[in-house]
Amino acid sequence: MKLAIYGYGNIARGVESAVAQNPDMTLTAVFTRRDPASVKTRSGVCVYAASALDAHLDDIDVLIVCGGSATDLPVMTPMLVRKCCVVDSFDTHARIPEHFANVDEAARECGHVALISGGWDPGMFSLMRLYASVILPEGKDYTFWGRGVSQGHSDAVRRIDGVLDARQYTIPIPEALDAVRSGAMPALSTREKHRREVFVVAAEGADKAAIERAIVTMPNYFDEYDTTVHFISAEEMRRDHSELPHGGFVFRTGKTGFALEHSHTVEYRLTLDSNPEFTAGVLVALARAVHKMALRGDTGCKTVFDVAPADLSPLSGEELRAHML
Amino acid sequence: MKLAIYGYGNIARGVESAVAQNPDMTLTAVFTRRDPASVKTRSGVCVYAASALDAHLDDIDVLIVCGGSATDLPVMTPMLVRKCCVVDSFDTHARIPEHFANVDEAARECGHVALISGGWDPGMFSLMRLYASVILPEGKDYTFWGRGVSQGHSDAVRRIDGVLDARQYTIPIPEALDAVRSGAMPALSTREKHRREVFVVAAEGADKAAIERAIVTMPNYFDEYDTTVHFISAEEMRRDHSELPHGGFVFRTGKTGFALEHSHTVEYRLTLDSNPEFTAGVLVALARAVHKMALRGDTGCKTVFDVAPADLSPLSGEELRAHML
């Protein structure tokens, strides 16, 4: 199957390397809104202007749309699904119903399949919440994130006066994980679930105490958490904080039995060296499923909830049953 | 939807209590090959002779077949799917392709849907292996079982001369779990992955040393493991070992990036107070999916790999996207 990428950032580079691990796929093109001559791909795949997409549709079974959720994807995905099948990683949970409706309408009109909100949260974590909730209807969910870099929180710190660079790590609190794992179904406040750690490169002569105060009291981003701030050099930032690790936990604990006398804990944990590359791995598998659905004549917008797991795999049903069931 | 149960053992009782947690379901009947008058259900649902099934088909959307994998299900499931839609928990991994073929043929001939091999392994663990393998094609899987009671191993010990009762626990070795979790992709021998612990009630005057020797050297069951044997009283057995806890871990560790420079670990862990009740929770959710597939006109044999997750839930697609994605 022939994949193409629209946009060329971290996730797109992840898709580029993921395709190399999937022998049934070829990456045929990267489309960019920048000057194509200014974009050099890692794999050497051709780069075209976004405006040239129509001329290359024969080379695309599924287009992976790699844009930001705030302003790019709400416009791009409904527009692009009019041309071909698409997958995106739209991750603004509250706006998913609206995005779904827009993409679904366009996809149905043009007879294509779209899959939105692929990745790990939304994505794999959503699947884990669903599976565990149907098995244990009398129970309680917990999601923890990290240890990992939050781009939004890092950006928020960078906007503070005197801050040259910043990296924010979200860290789940071990005591909270243990309390959940025990099946005790604790009520946990925001502060009890996660703490935040910030590494800052300050401008020469900047008021570090003022910067620290501005961080730890920042509404919505930091004020409800215990936050530790470390001032480091630009060299230390480059050396120790250039990667984008992430991960997290989904738990469900529930009770079964005629008297609810038995307790069960389901735990799903991701520990990721590279958030964009793992996300890309999910998107590429979803693209395979989208292609199979399109070949069967299906149309419209889908989410991970609509994808039969077998469609994600290059193996046949027979091979899956023999080797993986 | 209307569920019925065929066979009335541990898993059937689990189904009976699980239905009570799912307001969209009603349990309409239990069918037994024993004398129905001798079977008293926990919920008071009516018990009929297995031979009376045909008279009650109007009250059954999906029949959950609760029999053993060794001799019951290979005969029962193909026979029963000729009458209505069915779900079973066939768990002999090596014979799944053969069972699938038999059930599929019968299901297609009669226009019904069957789902085989539901539960947690095969079942949820299989799903976790599939999802992780498609996201991380360059990687390695590990499955650990326990701490939990293995019925097969307990039965094997009970057959030893001088043993009145026995309970065998399979226990994953913490150092092996840590080595896998680290992403080091260790090669682990059978002995390095699990140990076994056996509790035995011996007959008065029995040769305990001989019993212990017979256990730890038993081919296939114990000889490749480090096994600890404890002799206890019948009273201690009743008090401390009357439950059927189980669980386990599925891991996949994999590498991504152009130079495979990033490592990732996916871990799925179940900690279950009651193996049959958790298994029943999975079967009941799968029965819901089977019913939806049948209503859409689908036929044939399915496994967990063929079930779109949304079909497991009583919630609408809209509700799932708004609250669970």
Side-chain angles (χ1 to χ4, degrees):
Chain A
M1 57 174 296
K2 294 174 282 184
L3 284 188
I5 296 170
Y6 194 93
Y8 194 67
N10 282 331
I11 290 181
R13 277 185 291 270
V15 169
E16 200 182 356
S17 68
V19 168
Q21 296 191 6
N22 288 280
D24 60 331
M25 297 180 179
T26 311
L27 185 66
T28 57
V30 168
F31 297 91
T32 179
R33 289 173 299 173
R34 291 178 272 168
D35 172 11
S38 74
V39 176
K40 207 181 134 35
T41 58
R42 283 288 300 263
S43 63
V45 66
C46 289
V47 182
Y48 303 103
S51 57
L53 181 65
D54 287 356
H56 295 275
L57 291 176
D58 283 349
D59 294 326
I60 304 173
D61 290 317
V62 181
L63 181 66
I64 302 192
V65 190
C66 299
S69 294
T71 55
D72 292 341
L73 297 176
V75 179
M76 281 180 184
T77 309
M79 173 189 81
L80 294 169
V81 78
R82 295 188 175 274
K83 301 181 187 292
C84 58
C85 292
V86 299
V87 171
D88 82 15
S89 59
F90 185 78
D91 67 359
T92 311
H93 290 260
R95 295 184 60 196
I96 286 174
E98 177 193 342
H99 186 52
F100 182 92
N102 292 337
V103 175
D104 193 49
E105 193 190 342
R108 286 182 194 281
E109 274 178 32
C110 303
H112 293 138
V113 177
L115 189 137
I116 62 160
S117 302
W120 58 273
D121 195 7
M124 294 311 299
F125 274 17
S126 322
L127 282 173
M128 295 306 129
R129 289 186 281 262
L130 191 157
Y131 279 122
S133 74
V134 298
I135 301 169
L136 298 172
E138 308 260 345
K140 200 164 149 51
D141 276 341
Y142 297 85
T143 303
F144 291 85
W145 296 273
R147 185 180 182 260
V149 174
S150 161
Q151 309 261 35
H153 285 76
S154 301
D155 290 344
V157 174
R158 281 190 207 102
R159 285 191 292 266
I160 296 172
D161 265 358
V163 172
L164 296 181
D165 197 4
R167 203 76 81 256
Q168 194 271 183
Y169 294 87
T170 304
I171 302 167
I173 293 175
E175 291 75 13
L177 296 174
D178 287 342
V180 169
R181 215 174 258 136
S182 75
M185 297 196 196
L188 295 168
S189 69
T190 299
R191 193 178 301 274
E192 286 168 327
K193 286 185 71 185
H194 297 91
R195 63 184 184 86
R196 300 190 179 279
E197 197 166 4
V198 187
F199 294 86
V200 176
V201 180
E204 236 185 274
D207 180 346
K208 291 183 177 173
I211 290 174
E212 180 163 351
R213 209 162 43 240
I215 295 171
V216 302
T217 61
M218 194 185 293
N220 304 318
Y221 284 86
F222 293 97
D223 62 339
E224 289 183 62
Y225 299 86
D226 290 331
T227 302
T228 316
V229 179
H230 306 277
F231 290 92
I232 60 174
S233 68
E235 170 53 25
E236 286 170 315
M237 181 65 82
R238 256 191 309 276
R239 190 191 64 202
D240 302 333
H241 303 285
S242 60
E243 298 279 349
L244 293 170
H246 219 313
F249 301 77
V250 174
F251 290 92
R252 187 172 180 91
T253 61
K255 305 280 185 190
T256 67
F258 289 99
L260 300 181
E261 68 273 30
H262 293 127
S263 179
H264 306 270
T265 301
V266 181
E267 174 176 348
Y268 182 74
R269 175 181 189 173
L270 296 177
T271 312
L272 313 176
D273 273 1
S274 166
N275 183 356
E277 287 177 7
F278 188 85
T279 300
V282 180
L283 296 178
V284 160
L286 290 168
R288 183 184 287 118
V290 162
H291 184 50
K292 291 189 193 176
M293 288 189 268
L295 289 176
R296 288 198 297 262
D298 206 344
T299 65
C301 188
K302 313 288 176 187
T303 74
V304 288
F305 296 150
D306 305 306
V307 176
D311 279 345
L312 298 166
S313 173
L315 302 179
S316 69
E318 216 163 0
E319 291 169 314
L320 288 175
R321 288 187 296 273
H323 304 299
M324 218 167 267
L325 196 60
Chain B
M1 57 175 295
K2 295 173 281 184
L3 284 189
I5 296 171
Y6 193 92
Y8 194 67
N10 283 331
I11 291 182
R13 277 185 290 271
V15 170
E16 200 182 356
S17 69
V19 168
Q21 296 192 4
N22 287 281
D24 60 331
M25 297 180 179
T26 311
L27 185 66
T28 57
V30 168
F31 297 92
T32 180
R33 289 173 299 173
R34 290 177 273 169
D35 171 10
S38 73
V39 176
K40 206 182 134 37
T41 57
R42 284 287 301 263
S43 63
V45 65
C46 289
V47 182
Y48 303 103
S51 57
L53 181 65
D54 287 357
H56 295 276
L57 292 175
D58 284 349
D59 294 326
I60 305 173
D61 290 317
V62 181
L63 180 65
I64 301 192
V65 190
C66 299
S69 294
T71 55
D72 292 340
L73 297 176
V75 179
M76 282 179 183
T77 310
M79 174 190 81
L80 294 168
V81 78
R82 294 188 175 274
K83 301 180 187 292
C84 58
C85 292
V86 299
V87 171
D88 83 15
S89 58
F90 184 78
D91 66 359
T92 312
H93 290 261
R95 296 184 59 197
I96 286 174
E98 177 193 341
H99 187 52
F100 182 91
N102 293 337
V103 176
D104 193 49
E105 192 189 342
R108 286 182 194 282
E109 275 178 32
C110 303
H112 293 137
V113 177
L115 189 137
I116 62 160
S117 301
W120 58 273
D121 194 7
M124 294 311 299
F125 274 18
S126 322
L127 283 173
M128 295 305 129
R129 289 187 281 263
L130 191 157
Y131 279 122
S133 74
V134 299
I135 302 170
L136 298 171
E138 308 258 345
K140 199 162 150 52
D141 276 341
Y142 297 85
T143 302
F144 292 85
W145 296 273
R147 184 181 185 258
V149 174
S150 161
Q151 309 261 36
H153 285 74
S154 301
D155 290 344
V157 174
R158 281 191 207 101
R159 286 192 291 267
I160 296 173
D161 265 359
V163 171
L164 296 181
D165 197 5
R167 203 74 83 255
Q168 193 271 182
Y169 294 88
T170 305
I171 303 166
I173 293 175
E175 292 74 13
L177 296 174
D178 288 342
V180 169
R181 215 174 258 136
S182 75
M185 296 195 198
L188 295 169
S189 68
T190 299
R191 194 177 300 273
E192 286 168 328
K193 286 184 72 186
H194 297 93
R195 64 185 184 84
R196 299 191 179 281
E197 197 165 5
V198 187
F199 294 86
V200 176
V201 180
E204 236 186 273
D207 180 347
K208 291 184 177 172
I211 291 173
E212 179 163 353
R213 209 161 45 239
I215 295 172
V216 303
T217 60
M218 194 185 294
N220 302 319
Y221 285 86
F222 292 98
D223 61 339
E224 290 184 60
Y225 300 85
D226 290 331
T227 302
T228 316
V229 179
H230 307 277
F231 290 92
I232 61 174
S233 67
E235 169 52 26
E236 285 169 317
M237 182 64 82
R238 256 190 310 276
R239 189 191 65 203
D240 302 334
H241 303 283
S242 61
E243 297 279 349
L244 293 170
H246 220 312
F249 301 78
V250 173
F251 290 93
R252 188 172 178 91
T253 61
K255 305 280 186 189
T256 66
F258 289 99
L260 301 181
E261 68 273 30
H262 293 127
S263 179
H264 306 269
T265 301
V266 181
E267 174 176 349
Y268 182 73
R269 176 180 189 174
L270 296 178
T271 311
L272 314 177
D273 272 1
S274 166
N275 182 355
E277 287 176 7
F278 189 85
T279 300
V282 179
L283 296 177
V284 161
L286 289 168
R288 182 184 286 118
V290 162
H291 185 48
K292 290 189 193 177
M293 289 189 268
L295 288 176
R296 288 198 297 262
D298 206 344
T299 65
C301 188
K302 314 287 175 187
T303 73
V304 288
F305 297 151
D306 306 305
V307 176
D311 279 345
L312 298 166
S313 174
L315 302 179
S316 69
E318 215 161 2
E319 290 169 315
L320 288 175
R321 288 189 295 273
H323 304 299
M324 218 167 268
L325 196 59

